[in-house]
Amino acid sequence: MHIVGRIQWRGIFRGRTSRQLAEAIVSWAFGVVLLGSFIIALIYLNAIWVFLGAVALFIYLLPPLRFRDPFRVPPWELALLISLPEMLYVSRGSRTLADLGDVWRDITSLTNSFGLATLGFLIMAEIEMYTSLRTNRAFSGLFVLLFTMSVAGFSMVAVFISDLVNYPDLVTRTFSPSIGTDYDVMMFFLYTAVGGALMGVIYPLYSKYLTSKRILLFGRTKSGEHREECR
Amino acid sequence: MKEQTMLWITWVLQLSMLVLALALLIMGEYTWVPASLVSFFITLLPAILKRSARVVLPVWLVLWIVVALFLHSIGGAFGFYDSLHFWDHITHAISASLIAALGFVLVLTIDFFFESIRLPRQFVVFFVLMFGMAVGVFWEVMEFTQDQLVGTNLQYDLDDTMWDLFFDGMASLVVAIFSFFYLKNKSGEEFVRELGMARAKKRINKALEKGRVDEGRSASRL
């Protein structure tokens, strides 16, 4: 797709192309999905998904809030990527999908881990797009993995402490209501490591695909100008 | 604290570790002898690095390494891990802070040597926090895997694992805050120059070059 003419609107739309508008609308649509899923997790008081949703929303909204520009949203494919795990989590409540049986249950149980990995992916893309940071493919891939594992650790600790506060009688040395047993937590970390490693491999490929021309649509920064030189 | 004082403390702790290992050996308490000896030899690594590769680790970092290993050794030898509930958390926090500090050295070195990488100070601080916690999580996964495959009992229970991770996170956060203030007064470039990494790189390249030449000579002889 190439840039189609400029729209003659005022205010925040002034000087934007129809391509920019389309990209931003699709991205915001997934942002709304993310918000909706977060609200559902909040209603059901699912601690892990509330935590994941809050971090995802924070990372998603960081660029538009920081630059006070609704067009500086993460690219729509990234918004889709981070809202996908939340959508899958919400879909657990759907009877039609639950009728699909074990396969659907297995897919949705993997989403926690991949949800975290997608956050690592998004934050690296945002850092590269909106800060003066320059990096190469190997380092960015490594950072995606480290970020994923680190957030997994912090999230489990946060949920465990929240359980200690909320259910002081229920939490024993071997079980916590929201995260289960030590075995459950370790399996979660293992899946997260696999998801993080996968995203760490995919990220450099995506970074290559995200050309300077496309970054321009989301508000190019100084570092964007160096991106091509780094490759 | 003055550098000389830190050096003295480092030597005293190193000597204590050696004495501890010998005492355990004489008393016939063999369980913690290998761990104490290995810990002692690890504390010698900074000196070996300095001698062979001309990498000069800062005195505070060397002291940090020695303190972490010393606490681990005496904890095992005197049974503090079993008798003092908080001992495991203290050693975990100190080890995690050490890992985060090594992450700091690593990320600044990468930033210094790779042309294609330029990392702002805030990112370095963020990296230190992420690195410390991520290594903590990998460590727990490694313990779990070993328990499952070999049948060891490295992980006690959920409570213990989660508190270990909590202290890993807190220690990494403290080191990240320190790195922020450290980099306010000193540039990352200056830090890496003082480490002598450039000298080490030259020496390693020279050694590799020599190896290649020797290989070439032996191949031509054949």
Side-chain angles (χ1 to χ4, degrees), chain A residues 132-134 173 180 182 186, chain B residues 117-118 155 157-159 161:
Chain A
S132 61
L133 175 133
R134 274 193 293 158
R173 293 185 72 81
D182 188 63
M186 288 303 128
Chain B
I117 295 177
R118 196 185 68 196
Q155 273 190 332
D157 48 38
L158 177 77
D159 190 80
T161 308

Side-chain angles (χ1 to χ4, degrees), chain B residues 147-196:
Chain B
D147 285 353
Q148 296 294 315
L149 297 178
V150 191
T152 46
N153 192 25
L154 296 172
Q155 273 190 332
Y156 298 125
D157 48 38
L158 177 77
D159 190 80
D160 181 66
T161 308
M162 296 321 291
W163 283 115
D164 280 351
L165 285 177
F166 172 80
F167 283 100
D168 288 347
M170 287 304 109
S172 307
L173 182 68
V174 170
V175 176
I177 293 168
F178 269 108
S179 340
F180 176 78
F181 288 107
Y182 189 87
L183 290 176
K184 254 188 158 182
N185 301 320
K186 197 182 229 176
S187 75
E189 206 179 305
E190 209 179 325
F191 177 78
V192 178
R193 276 189 209 287
E194 281 177 15
L195 285 179

Side-chain angles (χ1 to χ4, degrees), chain A residues 81-158:
Chain A
L81 192 69
I82 53 161
S83 56
L84 205 59
E86 296 268 339
M87 281 196 279
L88 281 169
Y89 156 69
V90 172
S91 74
R92 286 178 192 182
S94 155
R95 279 189 188 166
T96 321
L97 289 171
D99 287 345
L100 290 174
D102 291 345
V103 180
W104 193 251
R105 204 169 49 236
D106 289 344
I107 292 173
T108 52
S109 61
L110 280 172
T111 54
N112 287 29
S113 315
F114 282 90
L116 283 170
T118 57
L119 290 181
F121 199 96
L122 176 66
I123 197 153
M124 194 63 223
E126 280 189 3
I127 288 173
E128 277 209 273
M129 283 172 73
Y130 296 116
T131 71
S132 61
L133 175 133
R134 274 193 293 158
T135 179
N136 61 22
R137 289 179 202 167
F139 186 83
S140 56
L142 173 76
F143 183 74
V144 169
L145 174 64
L146 287 180
F147 180 85
T148 305
M149 295 314 289
S150 177
V151 176
F154 278 117
S155 68
M156 284 294 122
V157 170

Side-chain angles (χ1 to χ4, degrees), chain A residues 127 132-136 139 143 145-147 149-150 153-154 156-157 160-161 164 173-176 179-183 185-187 189-190 226 230, chain B residues 85 107 110 114-120 123 126-127 129-131 133-134 137-138 140-141 144-145 148 155 157-163 165-166 169:
Chain A
I127 288 173
S132 61
L133 175 133
R134 274 193 293 158
T135 179
N136 61 22
F139 186 83
F143 183 74
L145 174 64
L146 287 180
F147 180 85
M149 295 314 289
S150 177
F154 278 117
M156 284 294 122
V157 170
F160 177 73
I161 288 172
L164 282 180
R173 293 185 72 81
T174 53
F175 177 78
S176 168
I179 54 176
T181 60
D182 188 63
Y183 182 86
V185 175
M186 288 303 128
M187 289 314 286
F189 284 155
L190 270 175
H226 298 295
C230 297
Chain B
H85 180 64
V107 75
I110 290 174
F114 287 84
E115 285 287 315
S116 55
I117 295 177
R118 196 185 68 196
L119 308 171
F123 181 83
F126 187 55
F127 183 92
L129 176 64
M130 296 291 112
F131 186 83
M133 187 55 156
V137 174
F138 277 122
E140 294 300 331
V141 171
F144 170 74
T145 313
Q148 296 294 315
Q155 273 190 332
D157 48 38
L158 177 77
D159 190 80
D160 181 66
T161 308
M162 296 321 291
W163 283 115
L165 285 177
F166 172 80

Side-chain angles (χ1 to χ4, degrees), chain B residues 51 108 183:
Chain B
R51 194 180 163 81
L108 288 180
L183 290 176

